[in-house]
mmCIF file of all heavy atoms in Angstrom:
data_model
loop_
_atom_site.group_PDB
_atom_site.id
_atom_site.type_symbol
_atom_site.label_atom_id
_atom_site.label_comp_id
_atom_site.label_asym_id
_atom_site.label_seq_id
_atom_site.Cartn_x
_atom_site.Cartn_y
_atom_site.Cartn_z
ATOM 1 N N GLU S 138 75.823 52.132 7.822
ATOM 2 C CA GLU S 138 76.607 52.961 8.738
ATOM 3 C C GLU S 138 76.325 54.439 8.506
ATOM 4 O O GLU S 138 76.170 55.215 9.466
ATOM 5 C CB GLU S 138 78.099 52.664 8.569
ATOM 6 C CG GLU S 138 79.019 53.523 9.442
ATOM 7 C CD GLU S 138 78.924 53.208 10.927
ATOM 8 O OE1 GLU S 138 78.372 52.144 11.285
ATOM 9 O OE2 GLU S 138 79.417 54.017 11.730
ATOM 10 N N GLN S 139 76.237 54.841 7.250
ATOM 11 C CA GLN S 139 75.935 56.235 6.952
ATOM 12 C C GLN S 139 74.557 56.616 7.491
ATOM 13 O O GLN S 139 74.369 57.699 8.056
ATOM 14 C CB GLN S 139 75.983 56.474 5.440
ATOM 15 C CG GLN S 139 75.732 57.915 5.043
ATOM 16 C CD GLN S 139 75.847 58.123 3.543
ATOM 17 O OE1 GLN S 139 76.138 57.190 2.792
ATOM 18 N NE2 GLN S 139 75.622 59.349 3.095
ATOM 19 N N GLY S 140 73.580 55.724 7.315
ATOM 20 C CA GLY S 140 72.247 56.001 7.832
ATOM 21 C C GLY S 140 72.235 56.125 9.344
ATOM 22 O O GLY S 140 71.586 57.017 9.903
ATOM 23 N N TRP S 141 72.952 55.241 10.017
ATOM 24 C CA TRP S 141 73.012 55.323 11.474
ATOM 25 C C TRP S 141 73.688 56.611 11.933
ATOM 26 O O TRP S 141 73.223 57.255 12.875
ATOM 27 C CB TRP S 141 73.782 54.114 12.025
ATOM 28 C CG TRP S 141 72.963 52.847 12.095
ATOM 29 C CD1 TRP S 141 71.645 52.732 12.437
ATOM 30 C CD2 TRP S 141 73.418 51.522 11.812
ATOM 31 N NE1 TRP S 141 71.255 51.421 12.388
ATOM 32 C CE2 TRP S 141 72.322 50.646 12.013
ATOM 33 C CE3 TRP S 141 74.638 50.979 11.414
ATOM 34 C CZ2 TRP S 141 72.413 49.261 11.829
ATOM 35 C CZ3 TRP S 141 74.731 49.600 11.223
ATOM 36 C CH2 TRP S 141 73.629 48.757 11.436
ATOM 37 N N MET S 142 74.759 56.997 11.261
ATOM 38 C CA MET S 142 75.458 58.226 11.655
ATOM 39 C C MET S 142 74.617 59.470 11.362
ATOM 40 O O MET S 142 74.811 60.514 11.989
ATOM 41 C CB MET S 142 76.806 58.316 10.937
ATOM 42 C CG MET S 142 77.866 57.392 11.516
ATOM 43 S SD MET S 142 78.297 57.792 13.236
ATOM 44 C CE MET S 142 79.161 59.362 12.999
ATOM 45 N N ASN S 143 73.681 59.387 10.433
ATOM 46 C CA ASN S 143 72.814 60.529 10.135
ATOM 47 C C ASN S 143 71.588 60.593 11.049
ATOM 48 O O ASN S 143 70.789 61.519 10.942
ATOM 49 C CB ASN S 143 72.350 60.469 8.678
ATOM 50 C CG ASN S 143 73.460 60.796 7.701
ATOM 51 O OD1 ASN S 143 74.431 61.461 8.054
ATOM 52 N ND2 ASN S 143 73.347 60.292 6.482
ATOM 53 N N SER S 144 71.458 59.620 11.920
ATOM 54 C CA SER S 144 70.342 59.576 12.870
ATOM 55 C C SER S 144 70.880 59.858 14.271
ATOM 56 O O SER S 144 71.755 59.137 14.761
ATOM 57 C CB SER S 144 69.692 58.187 12.833
ATOM 58 O OG SER S 144 68.810 58.005 13.915
ATOM 59 N N PRO S 145 70.389 60.901 14.949
ATOM 60 C CA PRO S 145 70.973 61.287 16.249
ATOM 61 C C PRO S 145 71.050 60.163 17.270
ATOM 62 O O PRO S 145 72.077 60.002 17.934
ATOM 63 C CB PRO S 145 70.038 62.409 16.720
ATOM 64 C CG PRO S 145 69.507 63.005 15.460
ATOM 65 C CD PRO S 145 69.344 61.853 14.515
ATOM 66 N N GLY S 146 69.996 59.363 17.401
ATOM 67 C CA GLY S 146 70.018 58.296 18.400
ATOM 68 C C GLY S 146 71.046 57.228 18.106
ATOM 69 O O GLY S 146 71.788 56.796 18.993
ATOM 70 N N HIS S 147 71.120 56.818 16.853
ATOM 71 C CA HIS S 147 72.097 55.792 16.472
ATOM 72 C C HIS S 147 73.515 56.335 16.539
ATOM 73 O O HIS S 147 74.451 55.628 16.938
ATOM 74 C CB HIS S 147 71.805 55.296 15.059
ATOM 75 C CG HIS S 147 70.404 54.800 14.883
ATOM 76 N ND1 HIS S 147 69.383 55.591 14.436
ATOM 77 C CD2 HIS S 147 69.865 53.584 15.130
ATOM 78 C CE1 HIS S 147 68.259 54.882 14.387
ATOM 79 N NE2 HIS S 147 68.526 53.663 14.816
ATOM 80 N N ARG S 148 73.656 57.577 16.147
ATOM 81 C CA ARG S 148 74.967 58.231 16.192
ATOM 82 C C ARG S 148 75.494 58.260 17.630
ATOM 83 O O ARG S 148 76.679 58.028 17.869
ATOM 84 C CB ARG S 148 74.828 59.653 15.628
ATOM 85 C CG ARG S 148 76.111 60.473 15.624
ATOM 86 C CD ARG S 148 75.787 61.896 15.178
ATOM 87 N NE ARG S 148 76.955 62.757 15.203
ATOM 88 C CZ ARG S 148 77.752 62.953 14.158
ATOM 89 N NH1 ARG S 148 77.500 62.339 13.018
ATOM 90 N NH2 ARG S 148 78.780 63.761 14.265
ATOM 91 N N ARG S 149 74.598 58.558 18.591
ATOM 92 C CA ARG S 149 75.017 58.574 19.996
ATOM 93 C C ARG S 149 75.547 57.218 20.422
ATOM 94 O O ARG S 149 76.515 57.134 21.191
ATOM 95 C CB ARG S 149 73.839 58.985 20.895
ATOM 96 C CG ARG S 149 73.583 60.476 20.931
ATOM 97 C CD ARG S 149 72.639 60.842 22.067
ATOM 98 N NE ARG S 149 71.326 60.235 21.912
ATOM 99 C CZ ARG S 149 70.325 60.803 21.260
ATOM 100 N NH1 ARG S 149 70.490 61.975 20.674
ATOM 101 N NH2 ARG S 149 69.154 60.196 21.173
ATOM 102 N N ASN S 150 74.919 56.151 19.946
ATOM 103 C CA ASN S 150 75.391 54.816 20.310
ATOM 104 C C ASN S 150 76.787 54.549 19.754
ATOM 105 O O ASN S 150 77.664 54.025 20.436
ATOM 106 C CB ASN S 150 74.432 53.754 19.773
ATOM 107 C CG ASN S 150 73.065 53.838 20.411
ATOM 108 O OD1 ASN S 150 72.899 54.478 21.437
ATOM 109 N ND2 ASN S 150 72.097 53.187 19.800
ATOM 110 N N ILE S 151 76.983 54.887 18.486
ATOM 111 C CA ILE S 151 78.268 54.638 17.831
ATOM 112 C C ILE S 151 79.379 55.447 18.492
ATOM 113 O O ILE S 151 80.515 54.972 18.637
ATOM 114 C CB ILE S 151 78.167 54.968 16.324
ATOM 115 C CG1 ILE S 151 77.235 53.952 15.635
ATOM 116 C CG2 ILE S 151 79.543 54.964 15.657
ATOM 117 C CD1 ILE S 151 76.863 54.321 14.215
ATOM 118 N N LEU S 152 79.048 56.665 18.912
ATOM 119 C CA LEU S 152 80.057 57.564 19.472
ATOM 120 C C LEU S 152 80.038 57.598 20.997
ATOM 121 O O LEU S 152 80.602 58.512 21.606
ATOM 122 C CB LEU S 152 79.848 58.983 18.918
ATOM 123 C CG LEU S 152 79.902 59.117 17.391
ATOM 124 C CD1 LEU S 152 79.706 60.578 16.980
ATOM 125 C CD2 LEU S 152 81.220 58.578 16.830
ATOM 126 N N ALA S 153 79.413 56.622 21.613
ATOM 127 C CA ALA S 153 79.326 56.603 23.072
ATOM 128 C C ALA S 153 80.683 56.307 23.704
ATOM 129 O O ALA S 153 81.500 55.553 23.156
ATOM 130 C CB ALA S 153 78.302 55.563 23.531
ATOM 131 N N GLU S 154 80.913 56.887 24.863
ATOM 132 C CA GLU S 154 82.091 56.570 25.661
ATOM 133 C C GLU S 154 81.793 55.329 26.505
ATOM 134 O O GLU S 154 80.655 54.926 26.670
ATOM 135 C CB GLU S 154 82.469 57.745 26.552
ATOM 136 C CG GLU S 154 82.856 58.999 25.774
ATOM 137 C CD GLU S 154 83.281 60.134 26.680
ATOM 138 O OE1 GLU S 154 83.228 59.956 27.907
ATOM 139 O OE2 GLU S 154 83.651 61.194 26.154
ATOM 140 N N GLY S 155 82.840 54.725 27.013
ATOM 141 C CA GLY S 155 82.669 53.572 27.875
ATOM 142 C C GLY S 155 82.417 52.272 27.137
ATOM 143 O O GLY S 155 82.069 51.262 27.751
ATOM 144 N N LEU S 156 82.581 52.263 25.810
ATOM 145 C CA LEU S 156 82.431 51.045 25.031
ATOM 146 C C LEU S 156 83.795 50.427 24.743
ATOM 147 O O LEU S 156 84.799 51.140 24.642
ATOM 148 C CB LEU S 156 81.724 51.336 23.701
ATOM 149 C CG LEU S 156 80.316 51.918 23.781
ATOM 150 C CD1 LEU S 156 79.793 52.224 22.383
ATOM 151 C CD2 LEU S 156 79.380 50.978 24.523
ATOM 152 N N GLU S 157 83.829 49.114 24.586
ATOM 153 C CA GLU S 157 85.079 48.414 24.279
ATOM 154 C C GLU S 157 84.948 47.442 23.121
ATOM 155 O O GLU S 157 85.904 47.239 22.375
ATOM 156 C CB GLU S 157 85.576 47.650 25.514
ATOM 157 C CG GLU S 157 85.981 48.528 26.674
ATOM 158 C CD GLU S 157 86.416 47.736 27.893
ATOM 159 O OE1 GLU S 157 86.078 46.537 27.986
ATOM 160 O OE2 GLU S 157 87.103 48.311 28.761
ATOM 161 N N THR S 158 83.773 46.807 22.971
ATOM 162 C CA THR S 158 83.629 45.747 21.979
ATOM 163 C C THR S 158 82.397 45.970 21.105
ATOM 164 O O THR S 158 81.488 46.731 21.447
ATOM 165 C CB THR S 158 83.545 44.363 22.655
ATOM 166 O OG1 THR S 158 82.506 44.374 23.637
ATOM 167 C CG2 THR S 158 84.872 44.019 23.316
ATOM 168 N N PHE S 159 82.387 45.252 19.979
ATOM 169 C CA PHE S 159 81.398 45.477 18.923
ATOM 170 C C PHE S 159 80.987 44.148 18.311
ATOM 171 O O PHE S 159 81.771 43.201 18.259
ATOM 172 C CB PHE S 159 82.052 46.362 17.845
ATOM 173 C CG PHE S 159 81.226 46.587 16.603
ATOM 174 C CD1 PHE S 159 80.176 47.484 16.594
ATOM 175 C CD2 PHE S 159 81.524 45.907 15.428
ATOM 176 C CE1 PHE S 159 79.431 47.711 15.448
ATOM 177 C CE2 PHE S 159 80.789 46.123 14.268
ATOM 178 C CZ PHE S 159 79.731 47.034 14.279
ATOM 179 N N GLY S 160 79.737 44.074 17.864
ATOM 180 C CA GLY S 160 79.264 42.912 17.129
ATOM 181 C C GLY S 160 78.370 43.343 15.987
ATOM 182 O O GLY S 160 77.776 44.429 16.018
ATOM 183 N N PHE S 161 78.265 42.507 14.965
ATOM 184 C CA PHE S 161 77.474 42.861 13.784
ATOM 185 C C PHE S 161 76.770 41.618 13.252
ATOM 186 O O PHE S 161 77.342 40.529 13.211
ATOM 187 C CB PHE S 161 78.378 43.440 12.694
ATOM 188 C CG PHE S 161 77.641 43.934 11.479
ATOM 189 C CD1 PHE S 161 76.986 45.159 11.490
ATOM 190 C CD2 PHE S 161 77.593 43.171 10.321
ATOM 191 C CE1 PHE S 161 76.299 45.614 10.378
ATOM 192 C CE2 PHE S 161 76.914 43.615 9.198
ATOM 193 C CZ PHE S 161 76.259 44.845 9.225
ATOM 194 N N GLY S 162 75.516 41.791 12.863
ATOM 195 C CA GLY S 162 74.759 40.708 12.250
ATOM 196 C C GLY S 162 73.949 41.242 11.086
ATOM 197 O O GLY S 162 73.551 42.413 11.076
ATOM 198 N N ILE S 163 73.706 40.402 10.086
ATOM 199 C CA ILE S 163 72.929 40.821 8.925
ATOM 200 C C ILE S 163 72.222 39.606 8.313
ATOM 201 O O ILE S 163 72.775 38.505 8.278
ATOM 202 C CB ILE S 163 73.820 41.539 7.887
ATOM 203 C CG1 ILE S 163 72.987 42.221 6.819
ATOM 204 C CG2 ILE S 163 74.843 40.581 7.307
ATOM 205 C CD1 ILE S 163 73.777 43.231 5.974
ATOM 206 N N ALA S 164 70.997 39.808 7.875
ATOM 207 C CA ALA S 164 70.231 38.709 7.288
ATOM 208 C C ALA S 164 69.225 39.277 6.300
ATOM 209 O O ALA S 164 68.716 40.381 6.481
ATOM 210 C CB ALA S 164 69.510 37.912 8.376
ATOM 211 N N GLY S 165 68.957 38.521 5.226
ATOM 212 C CA GLY S 165 68.006 38.982 4.228
ATOM 213 C C GLY S 165 67.266 37.845 3.560
ATOM 214 O O GLY S 165 67.750 36.706 3.515
ATOM 215 N N GLU S 166 66.091 38.182 3.044
ATOM 216 C CA GLU S 166 65.267 37.198 2.335
ATOM 217 C C GLU S 166 64.234 37.956 1.506
ATOM 218 O O GLU S 166 63.630 38.926 1.993
ATOM 219 C CB GLU S 166 64.554 36.288 3.343
ATOM 220 C CG GLU S 166 63.723 35.187 2.692
ATOM 221 C CD GLU S 166 63.007 34.347 3.744
ATOM 222 O OE1 GLU S 166 62.515 34.919 4.738
ATOM 223 O OE2 GLU S 166 62.960 33.123 3.569
ATOM 224 N N ASP S 167 64.055 37.553 0.240
ATOM 225 C CA ASP S 167 63.028 38.140 -0.630
ATOM 226 C C ASP S 167 63.139 39.665 -0.702
ATOM 227 O O ASP S 167 62.140 40.380 -0.658
ATOM 228 C CB ASP S 167 61.627 37.757 -0.139
ATOM 229 C CG ASP S 167 61.381 36.264 -0.221
ATOM 230 O OD1 ASP S 167 61.992 35.607 -1.087
ATOM 231 O OD2 ASP S 167 60.588 35.757 0.592
ATOM 232 N N GLY S 168 64.365 40.170 -0.811
ATOM 233 C CA GLY S 168 64.557 41.604 -0.948
ATOM 234 C C GLY S 168 64.512 42.384 0.349
ATOM 235 O O GLY S 168 64.736 43.596 0.357
ATOM 236 N N ARG S 169 64.219 41.729 1.469
ATOM 237 C CA ARG S 169 64.239 42.386 2.779
ATOM 238 C C ARG S 169 65.574 42.109 3.451
ATOM 239 O O ARG S 169 66.042 40.975 3.473
ATOM 240 C CB ARG S 169 63.118 41.865 3.686
ATOM 241 C CG ARG S 169 61.713 42.146 3.196
ATOM 242 C CD ARG S 169 60.684 41.547 4.153
ATOM 243 N NE ARG S 169 60.824 40.110 4.273
ATOM 244 C CZ ARG S 169 60.955 39.460 5.434
ATOM 245 N NH1 ARG S 169 60.986 40.129 6.568
ATOM 246 N NH2 ARG S 169 61.055 38.139 5.449
ATOM 247 N N ILE S 170 66.160 43.148 4.005
ATOM 248 C CA ILE S 170 67.436 42.995 4.698
ATOM 249 C C ILE S 170 67.355 43.709 6.044
ATOM 250 O O ILE S 170 66.824 44.808 6.148
ATOM 251 C CB ILE S 170 68.596 43.578 3.881
ATOM 252 C CG1 ILE S 170 68.722 42.837 2.562
ATOM 253 C CG2 ILE S 170 69.894 43.502 4.669
ATOM 254 C CD1 ILE S 170 69.655 43.510 1.597
ATOM 255 N N VAL S 171 67.903 43.067 7.065
ATOM 256 C CA VAL S 171 67.981 43.647 8.409
ATOM 257 C C VAL S 171 69.422 43.544 8.892
ATOM 258 O O VAL S 171 70.066 42.502 8.718
ATOM 259 C CB VAL S 171 67.043 42.928 9.393
ATOM 260 C CG1 VAL S 171 67.255 43.438 10.810
ATOM 261 C CG2 VAL S 171 65.585 43.111 9.000
#
Side-chain angles (χ1 to χ4, degrees):
E138 178 69 15
Q139 182 178 359
W141 281 322
M142 284 297 290
N143 288 337
S144 167
H147 305 93
R148 179 186 178 92
R149 280 193 297 270
N150 295 344
I151 292 169
L152 302 181
E154 297 182 358
L156 300 177
E157 294 178 341
T158 54
F159 174 77
F161 185 78
I163 192 165
E166 183 182 40
D167 296 332
R169 296 178 300 127
I170 298 169
V171 174

